[in-house]
Amino acid sequence: MNEDPASERRFVVDVMLGNLAKWLRILGFDTRCFRLESLERIHGFVRDGILVVTRQGRWSTIRGVFCPGSNDPAEQLRELIAQVPLYPAEFRPLRLCIRCNLLLDVLPRDEAFGRVPDYIFETTTVFHRCPGCGKVYWPGSHPKRMMDRLQKTLNRSVLPES
């Protein structure tokens, strides 16, 4: 999971859109959350090639700023993907911590002992860890449900074509 995200799209999402930020991270996009209150800060992000996402309509005319119309995070994601546009080939699902937005590291199986439920340790061989918060991730029903929900929301596969 240690891929170089330097050349990929990056987002700054206003804190009022935290659920949208979470789903962008699940899709593998570098997505930071900030309270966006100053025009100078927004112009700085745009200058750095970061797409700004906010519901503050006063900034909707600025190139590099996207203002979703919906209050629903799933609809906001659909709007963003359609307007930017984003393509499935750009998606790299489940490689970032959904809390910290950091690239996950491989966690050796023996280091997962005591950090995951016993049943998971006994039945799973692949683990990842956030280098920031230490959260441990593994393949299972929760990631599958997230991918199923995204596929249903977007009405297409969220996995890049191989």
Side-chain angles (χ1 to χ4, degrees), residues 37-116:
E37 297 174 334
S38 98
L39 188 57
E40 294 159 20
R41 193 167 198 196
I42 289 181
H43 282 300
F45 289 131
V46 171
R47 259 192 315 275
D48 290 341
I50 301 170
L51 181 69
V52 176
V53 184
T54 181
R55 290 289 312 271
Q56 297 187 42
R58 66 181 184 252
W59 294 323
S60 64
T61 59
I62 300 170
R63 185 179 181 107
V65 174
F66 174 75
C67 294
S70 177
N71 289 323
D72 176 59
E75 184 57 33
Q76 292 167 349
L77 183 60
R78 281 191 290 271
E79 289 177 39
L80 179 66
I81 287 173
Q83 290 297 314
V84 168
L86 299 173
Y87 302 101
E90 296 176 88
F91 302 163
R92 289 176 178 69
L94 306 174
R95 71 186 190 121
L96 297 173
C97 178
I98 61 174
R99 292 179 185 168
C100 300
N101 192 46
L102 294 175
L103 203 57
L104 299 176
D105 293 327
V106 172
L107 178 66
R109 186 171 184 276
D110 60 324
E111 291 182 34
F113 183 76
R115 301 184 70 194
V116 298

Side-chain angles (χ1 to χ4, degrees), residues 2-161:
N2 281 319
E3 301 165 23
D4 179 20
S7 65
E8 299 170 3
R9 293 184 201 248
R10 298 177 298 159
F11 296 90
V12 166
V13 176
D14 203 331
V15 293
M16 69 179 80
L17 298 169
N19 281 330
L20 175 59
K22 176 185 84 166
W23 286 104
L24 284 168
R25 288 176 183 160
I26 291 169
L27 282 172
F29 292 104
D30 177 359
T31 307
R32 293 176 272 161
C33 272
F34 292 107
R35 185 170 308 284
L36 298 173
E37 297 174 334
S38 98
L39 188 57
E40 294 159 20
R41 193 167 198 196
I42 289 181
H43 282 300
F45 289 131
V46 171
R47 259 192 315 275
D48 290 341
I50 301 170
L51 181 69
V52 176
V53 184
T54 181
R55 290 289 312 271
Q56 297 187 42
R58 66 181 184 252
W59 294 323
S60 64
T61 59
I62 300 170
R63 185 179 181 107
V65 174
F66 174 75
C67 294
S70 177
N71 289 323
D72 176 59
E75 184 57 33
Q76 292 167 349
L77 183 60
R78 281 191 290 271
E79 289 177 39
L80 179 66
I81 287 173
Q83 290 297 314
V84 168
L86 299 173
Y87 302 101
E90 296 176 88
F91 302 163
R92 289 176 178 69
L94 306 174
R95 71 186 190 121
L96 297 173
C97 178
I98 61 174
R99 292 179 185 168
C100 300
N101 192 46
L102 294 175
L103 203 57
L104 299 176
D105 293 327
V106 172
L107 178 66
R109 186 171 184 276
D110 60 324
E111 291 182 34
F113 183 76
R115 301 184 70 194
V116 298
D118 291 343
Y119 174 77
I120 298 301
F121 182 78
E122 294 299 327
T123 59
T124 305
T125 58
V126 177
F127 297 93
H128 292 88
R129 171 184 49 208
C130 174
C133 70
K135 181 173 172 58
V136 177
Y137 293 86
W138 61 89
S141 62
H142 191 67
K144 181 180 179 344
R145 284 192 308 269
M146 287 189 297
M147 292 297 95
D148 290 346
R149 181 173 176 188
L150 278 168
Q151 186 162 335
K152 183 178 178 184
T153 296
L154 302 178
N155 197 26
R156 63 176 148 175
S157 175
V158 295
L159 300 174
E161 295 176 12

